[in-house]
Amino acid sequence: MKIQKIHIHGDDFSALLVAVSLSRLIPLLAGKISISMNEIETETDGATNSFNFEREFHNKIGLNENLFLNETGSSLHLATEFLNNKRKSMFCSPNYGFRFEGCHFHQLLHKFHPDYELYQFDLSAVLASLNKGLPSNRLAKELQLEYGYSYPNNAYSKFLLKLTSQLKIPVYNSPIKEVQSENGKILGITLFEKKIIEADIFIDCSKKRDIFNRTGSKFYPLYREYYQVNKSYIHFAKMHPADSKNQINIDSSNKKIIKNSWLRKEKIQETFSFSKKENGTENNFTHTAWLENCISIGSASTKQSHIVFPVQHLIQKQILLLSELLPCSNNCSHIKKIFNQETLTMANNIADIDNILINLATNGEQPLTENNVNRIELFSTSGHMLDEENTIISGKHWIALLISLGFKQIYSDRASLRSNESKALVKIEEKRTNILKFAKNIPPHEYYLNNIGI
Amino acid sequence: MTYPKKIIIVGGGTAGWMTAAALAKTLPNNAVTLIESDLIGTVGVGEATIPHLRFFNERIGINEHEFMSRCSATYKLGIDFRNWNSIGSNYIHPFGEFGKEIDNIPFHHFWSKAKKMGISDSIFDYSLPVVAAKMNRFDYPSNNTKSLLSTYSYAFHIDASKYALMLREHCENEVNRIEGKIDNIRKDVNGNIQFLELANGEKIEGDFFIDCSGFKALLIEETLNTGFEDWSHWLRCDRAIAVPTESISPPKPYTVASAHKAGWQWEIPLQHRTGNGIVYASEFMSDDEAASTFDSSLKGRKLAAFNHLKFKAGKRKKGWKKNCVAIGLSSGFLEPLESTSIFLIQAAIMKLVELFPTSQNYTAQASEYNRCLDNEYNKIKDFLILHYHATQRDDSNFWKYCKNMEIPESLKTFIEAFKANGYTPKYQKGLFLTPSWVAVLIGQGIIPNNYHHNAELLSSDKLTRSLDNLKSHIHKTATSLPEHSQAISKHASEKTPWPAAALSLYGVFS
């Protein structure tokens, strides 16, 4: 079998992440991958708050958690607190509650205990509310835990750079000067440092689509009619490690969104503001993330604000998909089509999540996407969620998201109407107190961070 | 009690009584009425099932031993497709897996590598349900996920009319059955169905109506004019003839689907008889020729006259419109090549129960129901077209048409991606997953040109050894299973606990 040579170009952690992950997922690519970078970030340019998917991804590529935490200086991200005007609630993991007599937990809570919050039944969110670390022992089956990390992007880049060096992946620090192509196929790229790179497949991870733009592919203006994030400010503040938090909070009030995350020694605040762009070309997706022998990944395939879901998750999903779709001859348009369709679905999903937040922040001035209108209507009239394929978060997680953002379910479903009330009430109370009791005995977040790997 | 309170099911048969039994169980606070007429026959050929039926039976509290005995059922491990790729070829599409995944890489990638190296046998030798079916053996799968016996599931061949009767008795205390023929259907000002008038003048009012009236589609089409999405340009067969015959040999644990020059024939072995049918495209085969071909192929004595059926492949544009949901043949028709008729009834019931309204505002539920059912229909449609299109046969105009027809873009993508590097669809919402696609794609002669990079990491010596060991382990395990007929008698007499059911074709716990 011919092992294809792959060149990856980018300007942040994306290119490094793609190179490291593909090398680990497909060991035969060793020696066949190279990277060119416009600039490697050395200054902090913001923080990433990832979800459990990052841990699953690390497992797949064999990345040790303690090493990752120590090298990146990550803190834990156990839940997200949403604030909207005077209302606040926690967006918990999809592990909340339990199934009872065929009834979904949120339906049960809606019917029998509307005074309780959904997050009180999720260990991760309860640990977040108490600012705790992680349990050191293996968890009982009924106590599942999901979490991600909060880390500074530059630290992540530095860590990935170390890994590329360990994997002996050549990294050229130079922007692209020229792209040689023929009928849309990239033959090679010339870097400013005069190096010419030839490869079978080129992966473009650059925010400005340095390679891809030269193939003539344009972003498709899907969200032209919606409000766009047109400004974002990042503010850093040093803090005492004892003040580090294992959650983030996102306030969507007064026509802006403010996101606070706590790293180990600093607090990062990002402020997003919006305006309506009639002919905007930003926040758009491309229909052709993979064109000829050039593949766009991350920001090169979809320009979005990524307020809730970090671009890392899109990249990670694209990498996993790509690792299944290779090897691919340049003639196989159908393999490319699968990649393009799935990228579009994931990008739409990420955009839908931010779309709801912006809708709330603008008091409804920002219209909801059609998918969101359907989701919210189905949820409010039945408590159910669209049964969708390839979504970035599960249906159960979507329900947690809508509840935490304050969307109300009006009617109970049939399954909850026929549930045994007294038994259900006992089980609900038992679950809530068990989680709380367990969480209270876990050491604080700071203690956990100081003792990683010991 | 919340709205809608009164549910009216129009039509008995398998669809009507499955719906009635499920609603009686899951919506105990609603009044369920079923109207059927002994004067109107049922199609009654839905006799081969897939493993999901076990899940349905379990949910409504049907005892599997009683079900086996009352429906004269036999066990089913898959479908034997004969003469589909070429005359004389055959393969079994099993309810189970092929080989074992290694580091999350599906087995067929390793098999493809071995095939390229010339060191592999047929991929079907690496599937326990296939090997067991060929040996005419069966036993319950194991719930020990480490055991080879956990790599398959099972379904049944049943007498569908007996199943409908069993369900009727199962729920007769909860369901009000009305014998009568519907003469008139009245709508309200909003276009919702308001009441039905029977031939005897009785007026039946309801809040929510379920159309199980079969091909007639009395409510969903004749009354609500929903429209039909015609798929007959892809699925050309539009006629069938069915007849039961005496069994001439012990029942096999699989359905036989043999292609002929303008369609295919089924053989469904029950305990007391064999169900037979011929499916054909009237444009390519006359009714007389079909009847004569069918007659000459029957192995046992006929137990009834030929039952002629006409149909058109496709589905209603909306399965749920206004206050009416169509279930069964009224919602659409896909030929029973992969035994999906009863599954589609079940899928519709389960979605309806999940989304059943609790208020008068149920537009969102209807739209979600239609989206989900459309998805099921479309995925099955693609899978059926694959059987016809991926063929070497060109011995008749029918097969030439099928081989050269334009196929749906979604199917084309699946076929080309599989050819390119063994990639299989990864959808979760839909019936047929990787093992089924692998079975039919390879069975129909489509072999991947390439395979996953990581299959290269296994040396050829190691690969040869693993394949040999796996094949002999499967052979040994299949040999140790009881004969199919013995398994039927043993489970009936010993009342052996049957394994828990799953919503999957591929194993007890998958």
Side-chain angles (χ1 to χ4, degrees):
Chain A
M1 181 195 290
K2 182 181 180 280
I3 306 298
Q4 292 161 311
K5 187 176 182 312
I6 298 174
H7 181 75
I8 303 159
H9 175 76
D11 41 22
D12 60 6
F13 55 81
S14 315
L16 299 165
L17 177 59
V18 174
V20 167
S21 309
L22 280 181
S23 303
R24 286 184 169 225
L25 287 167
I26 307 174
L28 289 175
L29 287 175
K32 298 278 185 183
I33 294 180
S34 57
I35 306 174
S36 56
M37 300 279 289
N38 291 332
E39 182 188 359
I40 297 176
E41 295 147 5
T42 48
E43 299 300 318
T44 303
D45 72 334
T48 290
N49 314 107
S50 67
F51 287 76
N52 196 62
F53 184 73
E54 180 137 49
R55 295 177 56 230
E56 292 168 2
F57 184 78
H58 287 173
N59 260 338
K60 286 190 172 115
I61 63 166
L63 196 58
N64 177 281
E65 179 169 39
N66 287 346
L67 177 72
F68 173 82
L69 286 168
N70 283 327
E71 289 283 339
T72 56
S74 294
S75 55
L76 299 173
H77 173 209
L78 283 149
T80 301
E81 186 180 52
F82 284 118
L83 297 93
N84 177 237
N85 295 317
K86 284 179 182 164
R87 195 195 155 276
K88 60 177 169 178
S89 185
M90 199 82 89
F91 172 33
C92 60
S93 88
N95 286 322
Y96 56 82
F98 49 85
R99 282 291 285 261
F100 178 73
E101 294 176 352
C103 178
H104 291 285
F105 184 75
H106 71 281
Q107 301 272 12
L108 214 58
L109 211 57
H110 172 259
K111 171 83 180 123
F112 299 120
H113 244 310
D115 51 322
Y116 281 160
E117 296 239 32
L118 190 69
Y119 84 84
Q120 293 175 282
F121 300 87
D122 172 48
L123 177 59
S124 314
V126 172
L127 288 171
S129 69
L130 300 170
N131 202 22
K132 298 285 192 174
L134 298 177
S136 49
N137 298 327
R138 210 184 163 87
L139 288 169
K141 204 179 164 189
E142 66 277 10
L143 285 174
Q144 293 301 308
L145 188 61
E146 286 197 4
Y147 59 93
Y149 313 105
S150 290
Y151 50 85
N153 291 336
N154 67 328
Y156 190 44
S157 298
K158 283 180 199 162
F159 173 51
L160 288 166
L161 197 57
K162 254 192 204 177
L163 294 177
T164 54
S165 154
Q166 283 168 15
L167 290 161
K168 299 191 169 51
I169 299 170
V171 180
Y172 306 105
N173 294 311
S174 169
I176 291 174
K177 188 180 175 194
E178 275 172 9
V179 173
Q180 291 81 46
S181 65
E182 196 176 273
N183 301 325
K185 185 185 172 195
I186 312 291
L187 304 172
I189 58 172
T190 308
L191 302 178
F192 266 99
E193 62 161 34
K194 292 184 182 160
K195 172 92 185 160
I196 294 172
I197 297 168
E198 289 175 350
D200 302 298
I201 292 173
F202 290 86
I203 298 179
D204 189 351
C205 301
S206 62
K207 287 174 185 157
K208 291 189 176 165
R209 295 157 53 87
D210 296 342
I211 305 177
F212 223 76
N213 271 345
R214 289 162 162 109
T215 65
S217 163
K218 299 287 178 210
F219 272 121
Y220 178 68
L222 197 64
Y223 276 152
R224 190 165 53 196
E225 70 272 32
Y226 296 110
Y227 274 69
Q228 308 295 314
V229 173
N230 62 354
K231 275 180 193 165
S232 66
Y233 302 103
I234 302 173
H235 178 260
F236 300 89
K238 291 275 176 207
M239 65 175 194
H240 190 273
D243 294 329
S244 177
K245 287 192 182 178
N246 62 6
Q247 58 167 281
I248 62 169
N249 71 44
I250 298 179
D251 186 351
S252 52
S253 313
N254 307 319
K255 300 206 170 180
K256 62 184 177 193
I257 292 175
I258 298 171
K259 176 166 149 185
N260 290 306
S261 45
W262 289 264
L263 306 177
R264 291 198 187 184
K265 291 176 186 167
E266 58 189 349
K267 181 184 172 186
I268 297 187
Q269 184 171 85
E270 288 174 82
T271 306
F272 304 89
S273 57
F274 327 98
S275 69
K276 194 170 182 180
K277 285 195 177 176
E278 297 299 334
N279 295 306
T281 51
E282 290 181 3
N283 290 48
N284 301 325
F285 318 137
T286 174
H287 271 319
T288 46
W290 186 341
L291 190 67
E292 293 291 341
N293 64 336
C294 187
I295 305 167
S296 59
I297 281 188
S299 301
S301 62
T302 154
K303 260 183 195 280
Q304 301 199 55
S305 36
H306 291 284
I307 299 170
V308 180
F309 255 77
V311 72
Q312 270 87 331
H313 291 334
L314 175 70
I315 298 169
Q316 288 156 352
K317 293 239 178 199
Q318 286 177 308
I319 291 169
L320 292 178
L321 182 59
L322 190 59
S323 72
E324 282 190 65
L325 294 173
L326 292 175
C328 169
S329 99
N330 287 327
N331 300 326
C332 188
S333 58
H334 294 279
I335 286 280
K336 294 169 194 168
K337 197 171 170 182
I338 290 168
F339 186 83
N340 294 340
Q341 278 173 347
E342 295 206 10
T343 293
L344 191 63
T345 307
M346 292 187 282
N348 269 320
N349 224 246
I350 292 170
D352 280 349
I353 296 171
D354 285 351
N355 169 261
I356 298 182
L357 270 188
I358 301 173
N359 172 274
L360 289 173
T362 57
N363 290 323
E365 282 177 28
Q366 140 95 3
L368 290 168
T369 60
E370 195 185 332
N371 270 346
N372 279 338
V373 170
N374 293 337
R375 272 188 195 105
I376 292 165
E377 196 188 344
L378 182 64
F379 177 71
S380 65
T381 53
S382 68
H384 285 284
M385 187 41 57
L386 301 181
D387 197 7
E388 293 174 288
E389 195 76 70
N390 288 328
T391 52
I392 203 116
I393 63 172
S394 65
K396 201 176 169 198
H397 215 182
W398 261 108
I399 284 170
L401 181 70
L402 291 188
I403 290 175
S404 61
L405 286 170
F407 290 92
K408 298 278 182 222
Q409 175 182 348
I410 303 167
Y411 302 104
S412 298
D413 80 340
R414 295 275 167 172
S416 62
L417 291 176
R418 64 168 185 264
S419 296
N420 180 318
E421 181 171 357
S422 54
K423 271 192 197 168
L425 286 172
V426 169
K427 280 207 76 173
I428 289 171
E429 200 50 42
E430 201 178 82
K431 180 82 182 178
R432 192 186 67 83
T433 47
N434 281 350
I435 287 182
L436 191 60
K437 197 171 144 194
F438 182 84
K440 278 183 175 168
N441 288 324
I442 304 294
H445 183 222
E446 186 203 3
Y447 176 86
Y448 175 79
L449 293 179
N450 290 336
N451 290 280
I452 290 166
I454 295 172
Chain B
M1 200 187 289
T2 54
Y3 191 89
K5 296 172 188 172
K6 201 171 174 195
I7 304 166
I8 311 291
I9 300 168
V10 172
T14 316
W17 284 109
M18 278 179 78
T19 308
L23 296 188
K25 175 84 181 172
T26 53
L27 307 175
N29 298 324
N30 286 73
V32 180
T33 299
L34 185 144
I35 305 168
E36 66 175 342
S37 166
D38 287 339
L39 300 173
I40 304 170
T42 58
V43 172
V45 291
E47 300 191 312
T49 66
I50 57 174
H52 300 63
L53 184 64
R54 298 181 54 240
F55 186 83
F56 180 82
N57 284 346
E58 193 174 278
R59 286 297 175 275
I60 61 167
I62 297 255
N63 177 303
E64 189 166 304
H65 296 307
E66 194 193 337
F67 166 82
M68 288 288 295
S69 148
R70 290 201 54 185
C71 300
S72 308
T74 61
Y75 296 112
K76 176 180 172 186
L77 288 168
I79 303 171
D80 185 3
F81 288 96
R82 298 176 182 172
N83 306 323
W84 283 83
N85 180 27
S86 57
I87 294 174
S89 68
N90 89 301
Y91 66 93
I92 291 182
H93 170 196
F95 299 140
E97 296 166 24
F98 290 94
K100 273 190 270 185
E101 270 192 358
I102 303 175
D103 291 335
N104 295 322
I105 312 293
F107 173 78
H108 69 272
H109 288 280
F110 297 94
W111 176 81
S112 297
K113 178 185 172 182
K115 173 97 180 155
K116 269 192 186 296
M117 293 165 56
I119 56 169
S120 144
D121 294 314
S122 156
I123 194 165
F124 297 95
D125 291 342
Y126 303 97
S127 169
L128 177 59
V130 172
V131 176
K134 281 183 178 170
M135 290 181 179
N136 202 12
R137 292 177 183 273
F138 174 83
D139 208 348
Y140 288 148
S142 161
N143 58 14
N144 171 9
T145 51
K146 287 184 182 156
S147 162
L148 194 59
L149 289 166
S150 71
T151 60
Y152 65 96
S153 189
Y154 67 98
F156 315 99
H157 300 115
I158 59 168
D159 183 328
S161 49
K162 288 184 179 174
Y163 182 48
L165 191 64
M166 183 185 180
L167 291 171
R168 176 176 154 181
E169 287 171 23
H170 184 74
C171 65
E172 66 189 350
N173 292 334
E174 293 91 28
V175 174
N176 174 29
R177 177 183 177 273
I178 296 176
E179 164 70 36
K181 194 169 168 291
I182 295 164
D183 252 9
N184 192 18
I185 297 158
R186 193 64 64 84
K187 290 191 281 186
D188 67 15
V189 286
N190 298 316
N192 286 308
I193 297 172
Q194 198 177 5
F195 62 84
L196 315 172
E197 246 174 41
L198 304 185
N200 64 5
E202 193 183 350
K203 215 182 201 186
I204 313 286
E205 289 190 353
D207 301 316
F208 201 83
F209 293 81
I210 298 172
D211 187 346
C212 298
S213 65
F215 288 128
K216 200 166 169 51
L218 199 58
L219 308 184
I220 199 78
E221 195 58 61
E222 286 193 7
T223 309
L224 296 173
N225 306 311
T226 306
F228 189 77
E229 202 174 320
D230 186 345
W231 291 337
S232 59
H233 52 296
W234 288 312
L235 296 165
R236 302 293 293 163
C237 291
D238 57 353
R239 300 277 193 281
I241 308 171
V243 74
T245 56
E246 274 181 353
S247 305
I248 55 157
S249 57
K252 294 187 168 56
Y254 54 88
T255 308
V256 176
S258 310
H260 60 75
K261 71 174 208 178
W264 60 283
Q265 274 183 242
W266 76 74
E267 253 177 71
I268 299 173
L270 302 181
Q271 286 184 31
H272 62 309
R273 62 165 170 83
T274 301
N276 307 273
I278 184 168
V279 177
Y280 58 101
S282 60
E283 192 187 327
F284 299 93
M285 183 180 255
S286 69
D287 292 345
D288 287 347
E289 192 186 355
S292 138
T293 306
F294 185 40
D295 201 31
S296 62
S297 71
L298 294 172
K299 291 169 192 154
R301 188 174 65 86
K302 287 198 286 272
L303 299 173
F306 280 177
N307 178 14
H308 291 263
L309 302 162
K310 286 183 184 176
F311 51 81
K312 188 191 271 186
K315 64 163 193 64
R316 297 280 155 230
K317 285 183 178 160
K318 282 180 181 176
W320 182 338
K321 189 175 180 188
K322 298 287 180 182
N323 62 341
C324 175
V325 169
I327 293 181
L329 297 173
S330 60
S331 70
F333 181 82
L334 286 169
E335 59 194 83
L337 183 56
E338 284 284 356
S339 314
T340 48
S341 309
I342 291 181
F343 167 76
L344 281 167
I345 296 172
Q346 178 181 346
I349 293 170
M350 286 169 64
K351 208 29 110 181
L352 176 63
V353 165
E354 183 190 328
L355 295 170
F356 203 85
T358 49
S359 76
Q360 298 200 39
N361 174 15
Y362 47 77
T363 322
Q365 283 100 313
S367 136
E368 173 65 355
Y369 173 94
N370 288 332
R371 201 180 59 79
C372 292
L373 265 291
D374 281 357
N375 178 54
E376 288 288 3
Y377 264 98
N378 273 305
K379 296 265 170 66
I380 294 172
K381 172 203 73 188
D382 278 5
F383 197 65
L384 297 186
I385 296 169
L386 171 65
H387 295 68
Y388 286 104
H389 179 69
T391 181
Q392 306 302 312
R393 287 188 69 154
D394 55 6
D395 52 295
S396 67
N397 288 337
F398 173 81
W399 288 106
K400 281 179 193 156
Y401 175 90
C402 294
K403 195 175 170 180
N404 298 314
M405 69 183 168
E406 269 299 309
I407 56 171
E409 196 56 28
S410 45
L411 175 60
K412 201 186 283 177
T413 297
F414 287 167
I415 294 175
E416 293 304 322
F418 186 74
K419 269 187 199 166
N421 63 10
Y423 180 85
T424 48
K426 295 290 179 290
Y427 57 73
Q428 300 296 316
K429 324 282 176 194
L431 178 59
F432 297 109
L433 306 182
T434 293
S436 290
W437 281 93
V438 167
V440 177
L441 284 161
I442 294 179
Q444 297 284 147
I446 299 175
I447 309 294
N449 295 323
N450 236 320
Y451 45 86
H452 196 285
H453 278 110
N454 289 359
E456 284 289 34
L457 298 174
L458 200 64
S459 70
S460 49
D461 281 355
K462 236 178 165 177
L463 182 58
T464 311
R465 271 203 308 279
S466 322
L467 289 174
D468 286 349
N469 288 343
L470 180 62
K471 190 176 166 184
S472 92
H473 186 28
I474 286 174
H475 189 268
K476 213 168 140 188
T477 308
T479 312
S480 71
L481 302 177
E483 292 276 345
H484 180 216
S485 308
Q486 285 172 1
I488 295 171
S489 335
K490 184 179 143 223
H491 293 155
S493 60
E494 294 173 11
K495 306 281 180 234
T496 328
W498 61 89
L503 272 174
S504 168
L505 292 172
Y506 312 110
V508 180
F509 282 95
S510 53

